[in-house]
Amino acid sequence: MDGIDLIPDAIERARENAEELGLDIRYETMDVCELPPQGEPYDLIVDSYCTQGIVMDQDRDRMFRAIKCRLAKRGYLLLSCCVLEESRLDRGVTITDSATGRIYVQFDTSDLFDLETETCYNRWRPREGLLDAVPEDYDGTVRINGEWYIHRRRYRTPANLRKELERHGFEVLEQSGEVMENAVCVHE
């Protein structure tokens, strides 16, 4: 059994938990988008709330290709992720970008949401240790009426999540949930 996560602290905690429980699990810090296509196929791949954090189309395509390559022909993908909660949108507060004409809706109290791409954006703020970083250095930043924003999450509607899975060659056997979507998939 293998486990991967992009965050080293998460891997360390998982290793500690597995050791306490006497489980034999190989853990590795890795980006799921970089999962090598070669290797033993998995009968079950579990995505536990990773998908909504992968925002860019090219990264999502790489992630689904990597999963599909490593999923056994009769294997299952169990996907759990957050989906769009309509209650988090304030459709009465919109911002139209003067340069592109794109309309953003207020999300929660300080974020913006692009209904077309189902992407949530935060105002750009340099992070600790990266104070000299500029927004142009990061994929997924957008300038809206002169102010920089960076993507935070991709909250698909359940219907669009299903379409995306099917477009990547998965057959959705079961899909349920309102806020946290669960999908059980196999190869088409």
Side-chain angles (χ1 to χ4, degrees):
M1 190 179 315
D2 298 324
I4 65 169
D5 198 298
L6 188 60
I7 303 169
D9 289 343
I11 289 296
E12 187 56 37
R13 180 169 287 179
R15 281 187 180 125
E16 291 168 3
N17 290 339
E19 187 176 317
E20 284 176 22
L21 296 169
L23 301 174
D24 182 25
I25 302 173
R26 294 176 303 257
Y27 287 104
E28 189 175 346
T29 302
M30 180 189 301
D31 182 344
V32 69
C33 297
E34 303 296 327
L35 186 66
Q38 69 281 358
E40 185 177 332
Y42 296 107
D43 293 324
L44 174 65
I45 294 178
V46 178
D47 176 343
S48 184
Y49 299 95
C50 174
T51 300
Q52 73 267 4
I54 300 176
V55 180
M56 305 295 291
D57 285 335
Q58 64 270 25
D59 293 334
R60 290 175 76 86
D61 290 345
R62 287 177 35 234
M63 174 191 66
F64 285 122
R65 273 195 313 273
I67 290 171
K68 184 120 191 238
C69 279
R70 293 300 295 274
L71 189 62
K73 290 295 178 198
R74 299 181 83 98
Y76 291 89
L77 167 63
L78 174 59
L79 176 98
S80 294
C81 68
C82 294
V83 293
L84 178 61
E85 294 176 68
E86 189 66 33
S87 65
R88 295 177 76 181
L89 295 173
D90 185 347
R91 291 183 181 267
V93 180
T94 61
I95 293 175
T96 303
D97 181 40
S98 57
T100 64
R102 187 169 227 123
I103 299 171
Y104 298 87
V105 176
Q106 183 172 312
F107 187 85
D108 291 337
T109 56
S110 60
D111 296 336
L112 297 179
F113 194 81
D114 182 338
L115 291 169
E116 246 180 79
T117 64
E118 299 176 320
T119 303
C120 177
Y121 292 93
N122 294 116
R123 248 187 202 98
W124 169 264
R125 289 180 190 88
R127 296 178 187 215
E128 187 177 325
L130 300 173
L131 296 178
D132 59 343
V134 293
E136 296 93 327
D137 290 343
Y138 292 86
D139 285 339
T141 54
V142 294
R143 196 168 192 163
I144 303 169
N145 294 335
E147 192 164 347
W148 284 100
Y149 290 80
I150 189 163
H151 60 70
R152 181 179 78 159
R153 295 279 184 262
R154 188 91 174 254
Y155 296 119
R156 309 302 311 252
T157 63
N160 285 342
L161 177 60
R162 182 184 200 98
K163 286 178 190 172
E164 184 177 31
L165 287 164
E166 290 171 345
R167 183 170 51 81
H168 283 93
F170 295 98
E171 178 184 352
V172 179
L173 301 176
E174 175 71 30
Q175 186 177 6
S176 62
E178 293 176 24
V179 174
M180 292 177 248
E181 194 70 15
N182 296 297
V184 178
C185 307
V186 294
H187 283 279
E188 267 187 333

